[in-house]
Amino acid sequence: MEYMTESTNRSPGHILCCECGVPISPNPANICVACLRSKVDISQGIPKQVSISFCKQCQRYFQPPGTWIQCALESRELLALCLNKIKAPLSKVRLVDAGFVWTEPHSKRLKVKLTIQKEVMNGAILQQVFVVDYVVQCQMCGDCHRVEAKDFWKAVIQVRQKTLHKKTFYYLEQLILKYGMHQNTLRIKEIHDGLDFYYSSKQHAQKMVEFLQCTVPCRYKASQRLISQDIHSNTYNYKSTFSVEIVPVCKDNVVCLSPKLAQSLGNMNQICVCIRVTSAIHLIDPNTLQVADVDGSTFWNHPFNSLCHPKQLEEFIVMDCSIVRDIKRGAGAGMISKKHTLGEVWVQKTSELNTDKQYFCRTHLGHLLNPGDLVLGFDLANCNLNDEHVNKMNSDRVPDVVLIKKSYDRTKRQRRRNWKLKELARERENMDTDDERQYQDFLEDLEEDETIRKNVNIYRDSAIPVESDTDDEGAPRISLAEMLEDLHISQDATGGEDFKRRNLVLKLNKA
């Protein structure tokens, strides 16, 4: 009777655990969860502490057998890399859930919380949660070893330009920085007439050569030298050299085209001014405002050079300026520039103000010049022009003066310049005052030419206060809307950005 009363008071559908006697729901093992866990550890065989290799130089993790990959902290890629380190033991259980546990950024520890299931004792499924601790060990990758060796390289690109001004190189430097083309270089060396880029593989060098061909008019030659060979495995070790030559024309150069080229460009005059060099040479005829673009292949088929040295620029003062409204265009004439205005001016050298000698010329700067303004130009009348195309021209077709750009007070422009540019980390042989002057010329070109400015990342200089877009003299300036904030993103010792950590869970279900 006592037995019957005890059975009727027990909850229906429950049994007693065969180990501790606690009422439980029926299961194939007839054991409660606590007793089952004390008898069986399904995480046995899975390591609780694993080491993972990390290269501090390139911020990459090692993925066996021989790959280095870049992963941010708590990213899916890093979680997959951590799980692959214990892939073999995990194959014996069912992975239900995996996620990162927050650790200090500089602790060199990664903790992954795993939830696994496994069938134990007569088909009972047991679930367990545990944490695997990953120790980040610093190890230099093979690529960084080669970088530290300094002299190890497989390919080199020698970029050269046979000109005395470096405006094109300064522009090219900004394009390389904008598109990150310098990331695969072992080192960059600056010499007097160009740059040398060293690479650990030929493929990276070929990619850089293709980039140069798309950004500046140039041509290249490739060569290779045999370093070693293995006759048994039929393998060869070469060092490749790419010689890239940029057209010897810079912005603000005065050039003389061949008659055939001038005719093919819309019957424009042979004496032209280079207004910019991007992927092509942009020319303007100061007598008619006719513009034309000369690409690299056209230039090498019909080459031309600068008539004057940049140091031959002279300062003139505008005595009189009148706008030419009616422009006579010949048959087959090309496009006319809408950004410039044709003007007829009388100018006098500032060095000859005590004389009455003046020069008359046409210019494309009619929209900028007023009587009393200072302007820079080339005096072709008193210059020794050693050019085959100029020597064949009639003297009446050669202008006495070619005006290049309006002159402003450089000291004021430097003081009010509230922006800056980034530079490539490179080895310099020597830097003289002429290089600084040329760099200031390039900065002024950016302020004056919006077309070039669009291809360059310009950063705000917080040390200089923001003023109006133009100063008292009317010198052009870059607006605040065109500037970027110079952000410095700090990275921790394990290669991730120091951002707010979040718990990323990657669910991997195995059938």
Side-chain angles (χ1 to χ4, degrees), residues 124-184:
I125 296 177
L126 182 62
Q127 180 170 306
Q128 186 174 345
V129 180
F130 63 99
V131 176
V132 179
D133 192 6
Y134 291 85
V135 180
V136 179
Q137 296 180 346
C138 294
Q139 177 184 346
M140 187 178 292
C141 65
D143 294 337
C144 293
H145 266 296
R146 299 184 185 99
V147 174
E148 292 298 324
K150 301 294 184 182
D151 295 329
F152 182 86
W153 52 272
K154 285 291 186 69
V156 60
I157 301 178
Q158 300 172 341
V159 185
R160 301 290 184 267
Q161 186 182 28
K162 298 177 181 178
T163 182
L164 298 174
H165 207 292
K166 297 183 178 180
K167 287 184 179 180
T168 307
F169 275 107
Y170 291 135
Y171 173 69
L172 181 61
E173 177 186 18
Q174 297 304 315
L175 291 179
I176 293 174
L177 286 170
K178 181 177 181 179
Y179 296 104
M181 298 302 297
H182 63 293
Q183 295 178 353
N184 294 324

Side-chain angles (χ1 to χ4, degrees), residues 262-425:
Q263 184 180 8
S264 65
L265 296 177
N267 290 326
M268 64 190 307
N269 291 323
Q270 291 181 246
I271 303 295
C272 298
V273 177
C274 177
I275 54 177
R276 76 179 63 90
V277 177
T278 54
S279 57
I281 305 173
H282 303 270
L283 303 175
I284 187 171
D285 183 359
N287 288 314
T288 61
L289 295 186
Q290 186 173 334
V291 292
D293 296 341
V294 179
D295 58 11
S297 59
T298 304
F299 174 85
W300 299 117
N301 291 330
H302 305 279
F304 51 86
N305 296 310
S306 175
L307 296 181
C308 301
H309 189 280
K311 293 184 179 180
Q312 292 178 292
L313 271 175
E314 298 192 53
E315 191 176 57
F316 296 84
I317 184 170
V318 179
M319 309 304 294
D320 186 25
C321 180
S322 59
I323 303 300
V324 178
R325 302 297 179 184
D326 299 327
I327 304 176
K328 295 181 180 179
R329 304 186 63 186
M335 294 179 58
I336 299 296
S337 175
K338 303 297 183 182
K339 296 182 179 180
H340 301 84
T341 303
L342 186 62
E344 293 181 343
V345 296
W346 284 91
V347 295
Q348 186 177 12
K349 290 183 181 180
T350 55
S351 60
E352 299 178 352
L353 291 179
N354 56 348
T355 65
D356 57 353
K357 188 175 182 180
Q358 297 183 5
Y359 301 91
F360 173 80
C361 66
R362 277 192 167 191
T363 179
H364 59 290
L365 305 176
H367 59 296
L368 297 176
L369 301 182
N370 295 300
D373 289 343
L374 297 179
V375 62
L376 299 177
F378 293 106
D379 181 10
L380 301 185
N382 301 315
C383 181
N384 183 16
L385 301 177
N386 187 15
D387 186 86
E388 58 175 342
H389 302 309
V390 176
N391 295 336
K392 297 178 183 179
M393 291 177 60
N394 295 328
S395 58
D396 299 337
R397 305 278 295 178
V398 180
D400 293 338
V401 172
V402 177
L403 302 181
I404 301 300
K405 61 181 179 179
K406 189 176 178 180
S407 178
Y408 302 97
D409 189 348
R410 170 165 288 186
T411 305
K412 288 184 178 180
R413 296 184 72 170
Q414 292 181 2
R415 187 171 61 250
R416 299 184 180 183
R417 186 171 291 139
N418 59 345
W419 54 274
K420 59 185 178 180
L421 301 176
K422 291 187 177 181
E423 296 184 5
L424 285 174

